[in-house]
C-alpha cells in the first residue's frame, strides 16, 4: 500500500499541473518575447516519460491532472498521451483530466479530447476584439479561437474562459466578456498578471490591474455573491446573480492562498516546482531516465514534495515588482 503524498505543512498533494511543451503558436505579450528560443527536443520528456511520471503521481494519490504548456495541443501526437491517461479515469484513480489551452487547435481536437475522457477545459481569451486579440497574442486570430470554442461546446466539453486582467487593455471589456460568457453558459476567471520571465520591452500592455478594482467595477452592474468553494488553488469565486455565472479571481499577488495549496507543477523538461512563485525545484528527468524502476521514481517524487515551501513571495506593494521569478509561465505551465 503506497502512502499518499503529504508535504511538510501537512497539505495533501492531489493536483498535478503538467506542461507538455514550452512551444506555442501564439506569443502573448505578458508571457513570451516575440523571439523565443525554445528548448532542444532532447531536453523534453518524451510522451512515454510523461506517461510514467503521471502514472507514478496518480499511484501516489494525485486525482486531478491538468495538461498545460506552452500550448499543449501543438505538441506532436499529444492525443496519444490523452488517450493513454484515460485508462486512469477508467479505473477511477484519476478523477479529472483537463487542460488549459489557447483554443487555436480545438476545432481539430475537441471531439478527441471528449473521447479521451476530458470533460472540462480552460480556454484563455483576453479580449473579444479582433485587432486587440492579435495585439496581445501577436500571432493569434480570434476567429480561429472562437471556432475552437464552438467545437468544444458542440463536443460536450464544459468551457471556462481565462482572461489576464491588463490595465488600459481589457478593462473596458469587463461587462462584454461577462455577457459573452453568460450567453454561452461559460464561467470565467480573471487572472492578475504575474511577474514571470523576461518578456522584452512591453509597456502598453502587461500592466498590473488589481482584481480588487475589477471586482468593484463588476459590482456596479451586477449583484455579486461570494461563494465558499475552494479549489485548493488561488481562485476565489463569486456568482453574478443576474446571469447565474461563476466568476473567479486568481489573485496570487493581492491575496495569499498558500495555506490550502494542494498542487505541484512539472515543466516539460521534468523539473518539479512545488510552488509557482519560488525558484526552488527538483529534477525528475534524471531519475526517470536512470531506470525503469517505479519505486525509484516514487522516491524521487517524495523527496521533491518534502521540499515544498510554505508559500510564495510575490509582492506588488512596493515600487518594483518583488519576488519576481525568472522563468516564463510557458515553461512552468500556468
Ligand atoms: N497556452 C495555454 C493558454 O494560453 O491557455 C496554456 C499555457 S498559458 C502559460 C496558461 C495561462 O497562463 C493562460 O491563461 C495565460 O493567460 C496565463 N499567463 C501567461 N503568462 C502570465 C503572466 N505573466 N501572468 C498571469 N498569467 C499568465
Ligand atoms: Fe502561448 Fe499561452 Fe503563453 Fe499565450 S499564454 S504565449 S497562448 S503559452
Amino acid at each position: 500500500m503506497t502512502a499518499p503524498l503529504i508535504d511538510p505543512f501537512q497539505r495533501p498533494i492531489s493536483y498535478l499541473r503538467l506542461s507538455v511543451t514550452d512551444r506555442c503558436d501564439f506569443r502573448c505579450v505578458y508571457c513570451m518575447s516575440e523571439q523565443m528560443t525554445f528548448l532542444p527536443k532532447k531536453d523534453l520528456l518524451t510522451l512515454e516519460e510523461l506517461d510514467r511520471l503521471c502514472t507514478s503521481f496518480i499511484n501516489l494519490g494525485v486525482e486531478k491532472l491538468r495538461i498545460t504548456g506552452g500550448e499543449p495541443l501543438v505538441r506532436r501526437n499529444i492525443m496519444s498521451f490523452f488517450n493513454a491517461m484515460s485508462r486512469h479515469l477508467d479505473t477511477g484513480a484519476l478523477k479529472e483530466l483537463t487542460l488549459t489551452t489557447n483554443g487555436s487547435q480545438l476545432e481539430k481536437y475537441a471531439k478527441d479530447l471528449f473521447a479521451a475522457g476530458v470533460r472540462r477545459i480552460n480556454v484563455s481569451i483576453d479580449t473579444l476584439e479582433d485587432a486587440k486579440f492579435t495585439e496581445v497574442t501577436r500571432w493569434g486570430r480570434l476567429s480561429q479561437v472562437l471556432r475552437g470554442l464552438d467545437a468544444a461546446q458542440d463536443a460536450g466539453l464544459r468551457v471556462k474562459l481565462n482572461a489576464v486582467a491588463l490595465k488600459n487593455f481589457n478593462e473596458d471589456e469587463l461587462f462584454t466578456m461577462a455577457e459573452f460568457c453568460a450567453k454561452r453558459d461559460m464561467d470565467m476567471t480573471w487572472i492578475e498578471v504575474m511577474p514571470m520571465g523576461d518578456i522584452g520591452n512591453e509597456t502598453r500592455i502587461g500592466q498590473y490591474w488589481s482584481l480588487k478594482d475589477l471586482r468593484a467595477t463588476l459590482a456596479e452592474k451586477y449583484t455579486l455573491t461570494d461563494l465558499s468553494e475552494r479549489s485548493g488553488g488561488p481562485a476565489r469565486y463569486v456568482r453574478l446573480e443576474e446571469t447565474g455565472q461563476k466568476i473567479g479571481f486568481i489573485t496570487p499577488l493581492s491575496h495569499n492562498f498558500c495555506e490550502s495549496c494542494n498542487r505541484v507543477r512539472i515543466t516539460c523538461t521534468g523539473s518539479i516546482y512545488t510552488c509557482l512563485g519560488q525558484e526552488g525545484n527538483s529534477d525528475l528527468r534524471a531519475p526517470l531516465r536512470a531506470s525503469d524502476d517505479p519505486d525509484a521514481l516514487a522516491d524521487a517524487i517524495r523527496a521533491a514534495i518534502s521540499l515544498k515551501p510554505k508559500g510564495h513571495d510575490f509582492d506588488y506593494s512596493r515600487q518594483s515588482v518583488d519576488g519576481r521569478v525568472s522563468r516564463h509561465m510557458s515553461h512552468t505551465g500556468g
Side-chain angles (χ1 to χ4, degrees):
M1 174 76 192
T2 1
L5 289 173
I6 309 277
D7 83 354
F9 304 95
Q10 300 310 310
R11 296 170 295 195
I13 305 303
S14 56
Y15 182 1
L16 172 62
R17 286 193 178 214
L18 175 69
S19 170
V20 293
T21 178
D22 62 331
R23 282 156 211 266
C24 188
D25 50 348
F26 291 1
R27 290 290 181 279
C28 301
V29 293
Y30 47 76
C31 179
M32 293 191 185
S33 71
E34 191 152 20
Q35 273 79 41
M36 283 292 284
T37 314
F38 292 109
L39 297 162
K41 277 231 174 67
K42 65 171 177 33
D43 289 356
L44 299 195
L45 298 185
T46 63
L47 294 177
E48 187 263 334
E49 287 166 343
L50 291 171
D51 187 326
R52 280 168 55 212
L53 194 57
C54 292
T55 301
S56 191
F57 271 96
I58 293 163
N59 289 339
L60 291 168
V62 159
E63 295 184 331
K64 178 169 174 180
L65 178 60
R66 177 175 294 279
I67 306 305
T68 177
E71 173 46 43
L73 297 181
V74 302
R75 169 117 194 208
R76 192 186 295 190
N77 277 336
I78 193 61
M79 282 318 304
S80 66
F81 172 75
F82 278 100
N83 289 335
M85 284 303 104
S86 68
R87 73 184 185 276
H88 297 302
L89 290 169
D90 294 342
T91 64
L94 187 62
K95 303 274 186 286
E96 185 168 36
L97 174 62
T98 181
L99 87 152
T100 302
T101 173
N102 66 22
S104 69
Q105 308 301 314
L106 277 176
E107 209 177 2
K108 188 166 158 196
Y109 289 127
K111 280 198 183 120
D112 296 342
L113 287 166
F114 189 89
V118 175
R119 292 293 175 265
R120 299 193 302 168
I121 61 172
N122 289 357
V123 180
S124 305
I125 301 181
D126 301 324
T127 168
L128 292 170
E129 294 176 25
D130 288 318
K132 279 166 73 177
F133 188 82
T134 300
E135 190 185 356
V136 73
T137 61
R138 292 198 186 102
W139 295 2
R141 275 169 300 143
L142 181 62
S143 54
Q144 183 179 350
V145 173
L146 294 182
R147 286 200 305 276
L149 272 190
D150 288 340
Q153 294 195 294
D154 288 349
L157 295 169
R158 179 125 190 102
V159 178
K160 189 176 72 158
L161 201 135
N162 279 352
V164 175
L166 299 163
K167 202 164 184 59
N168 303 325
F169 180 74
N170 53 13
E171 271 176 301
D172 58 340
E173 291 187 66
L174 185 56
F175 299 141
T176 342
M177 289 179 78
E179 274 143 33
F180 173 83
C181 291
K183 241 185 236 149
R184 286 176 163 259
D185 189 26
M186 302 188 307
D187 293 327
M188 97 166 271
T189 299
W190 286 95
I191 311 173
E192 270 178 356
V193 71
M194 287 179 255
M196 312 274 300
D198 173 14
I199 50 169
N201 289 326
E202 284 301 332
T203 47
R204 206 190 88 65
I205 313 180
Q207 292 175 45
Y208 174 59
W209 170 24
S210 159
L211 296 195
K212 277 191 194 135
D213 297 350
L214 189 155
R215 191 195 148 111
T217 313
L218 210 53
E220 288 169 13
K221 178 154 179 182
Y222 300 103
T223 317
L224 311 188
T225 305
D226 280 307
L227 300 177
S228 58
E229 130 189 7
R230 296 281 182 270
S231 59
R236 296 289 176 268
Y237 297 94
V238 298
R239 191 176 41 244
L240 303 191
E241 292 305 336
E242 289 77 2
T243 67
Q245 258 173 310
K246 236 172 41 178
I247 306 267
F249 303 100
I250 300 193
T251 55
L253 303 156
S254 59
H255 189 287
N256 194 299
F257 57 89
C258 304
E259 65 286 347
S260 59
C261 182
N262 61 356
R263 58 195 59 196
V264 294
R265 294 173 161 82
I266 298 187
T267 69
C268 52
T269 55
S271 299
I272 174 167
Y273 284 85
T274 50
C275 173
L276 179 62
Q278 300 275 4
E279 299 281 1
N281 67 88
S282 315
D283 176 35
L284 295 177
R285 188 179 58 192
L288 260 172
R289 292 190 175 170
S291 90
D292 287 336
D293 177 8
D295 292 339
L297 182 57
D299 287 347
I301 292 173
R302 283 190 193 287
I305 298 298
S306 75
L307 301 174
K308 185 167 163 68
K310 196 165 180 193
H312 67 71
D313 295 323
F314 285 141
D315 185 2
Y316 266 115
S317 59
R318 296 168 224 170
Q319 277 281 307
S320 67
V321 177
D322 282 349
R324 182 186 290 271
V325 290
S326 60
R327 63 191 188 277
H328 289 95
M329 189 72 104
S330 53
H331 184 60
T332 331

